[in-house]
Amino acid sequence: MRNNITFKTLCLSVALVCLSFTAKAQLTHLEQSIFLNFNLPVAQFSGDVSANSLGDDIPMSRFNAGKNAAAGVGLGYRVSYRFDVGFGEVSPYIHADFQWNRVKSDLRDAYMNAGDGNAPNYFNVPIFVGVNYRYQITDIFTPFGEFGIGPDFFFITKESGNTTNVGAFEMRYQATCNVAWQVGAGCYFGDHVSASFHYSGYGKHAVKYTGGTDIPLALTADEANDTKTQTCSLGLLSIRIGFHF
């Protein structure tokens, strides 16, 4: 009789443990997300470019590299793990973006006038580690807020052209990595679609002239302190559409 009671107790304990693991599994969820970003540059990233010593023949040069960015687009990918905490869900995540911005149209026209030249393009590739908090109001509306921090990798493509005053020119740049952060708020619509607004601060990047054709020294090196490095503060305001699965 005692052995029978012990067996029943063991079976009941195993059943309770199984139910506990099942309930816990329902409270957590691995989520992958793909994002489409529409961004607007801020800070020095959007700053207007002033004419250099050669007028409009070379609109950018090292003095203005990293500035005059126009509205752009981007893609993002995220892996997160959702936890139900009883008053909403908390989701730690790893998130990577690929943001593309051209220079503004007036400068692109100036490069075309400079002997069918090429204006530089800007690429930001931030990798964020952060946390998302969401609270479901209805089956359709689930507002959320989030914060992330991590490195941003900034790239500038070469600029080139052929002008009367300078002749053929080509300039290339290398930018440093810097600490970036983002904050955002939005809403999930059901389980698989979201829309949100974000601000991403990419910090101050050092932009170094790395070489090109033989062009005037004034455009490649600072005669006062013999440096080829400039700095530029970058930031983006974004509308983000997310698809979650």
Side-chain angles (χ1 to χ4, degrees):
M1 182 68 177
R2 183 175 181 180
N3 289 337
N4 189 31
I5 294 175
T6 303
F7 178 74
K8 289 182 178 180
T9 303
L10 179 62
C11 290
L12 181 60
S13 299
V14 171
L16 290 174
V17 170
C18 290
L19 288 173
S20 175
F21 277 111
T22 301
K24 184 177 181 180
Q26 292 175 348
L27 297 179
T28 61
H29 178 64
L30 180 66
E31 183 177 82
Q32 298 185 73
S33 306
I34 295 174
F35 297 93
L36 179 61
N37 301 314
F38 303 92
N39 65 61
L40 184 67
V42 296
Q44 289 180 314
F45 199 27
S46 65
D48 291 333
V49 168
S50 59
N52 56 47
S53 59
L54 295 179
D56 294 328
D57 281 347
I58 301 180
M60 296 293 288
S61 79
R62 69 177 187 88
F63 297 102
N64 296 308
K67 299 179 182 178
N68 202 251
V73 296
L75 292 174
Y77 174 76
R78 174 181 298 187
V79 176
S80 58
Y81 202 70
R82 290 163 48 186
F83 294 87
D84 190 326
V85 293
F87 47 91
E89 294 180 332
V90 173
S91 304
Y93 64 79
I94 298 176
H95 180 112
D97 273 330
F98 180 84
Q99 305 277 19
W100 170 50
N101 296 85
R102 299 192 295 176
V103 298
K104 296 174 184 176
S105 59
D106 56 341
L107 255 73
R108 297 200 302 271
D109 293 341
Y111 277 94
M112 290 300 296
N113 295 332
D116 196 23
N118 293 308
N121 287 267
Y122 302 133
F123 299 97
N124 282 283
V125 185
I127 301 175
F128 296 112
V129 176
V131 63
N132 170 291
Y133 172 76
R134 68 188 77 179
Y135 186 85
Q136 187 176 40
I137 297 177
T138 69
D139 291 339
I140 301 298
F141 298 102
T142 304
F144 71 89
E146 62 184 42
F147 174 80
I149 190 169
D152 173 60
F153 302 90
F154 182 45
F155 303 93
I156 304 175
T157 63
K158 69 179 181 180
E159 57 177 308
S160 63
N162 191 344
T163 71
T164 302
N165 292 339
V166 179
F169 67 90
E170 179 182 292
M171 289 179 278
R172 296 185 294 273
Y173 307 94
Q174 181 179 6
T176 58
C177 172
N178 205 349
V179 176
W181 59 276
Q182 70 160 356
V183 62
C187 187
Y188 291 89
F189 301 97
D191 295 327
H192 302 293
V193 178
S194 68
S196 57
F197 293 93
H198 288 258
Y199 176 78
S200 300
Y202 293 148
K204 181 175 287 188
H205 288 262
V207 179
K208 182 179 181 180
Y209 174 79
T210 60
T213 52
D214 185 15
I215 59 176
L217 181 65
L219 294 181
T220 61
D222 188 336
E223 296 175 351
N225 54 24
D226 192 27
T227 180
K228 299 181 181 181
T229 301
Q230 304 293 307
T231 59
C232 185
S233 296
L234 310 179
L236 291 177
L237 286 172
S238 302
I239 296 175
R240 178 178 292 171
I241 308 299
F243 305 92
H244 313 278
F245 50 94

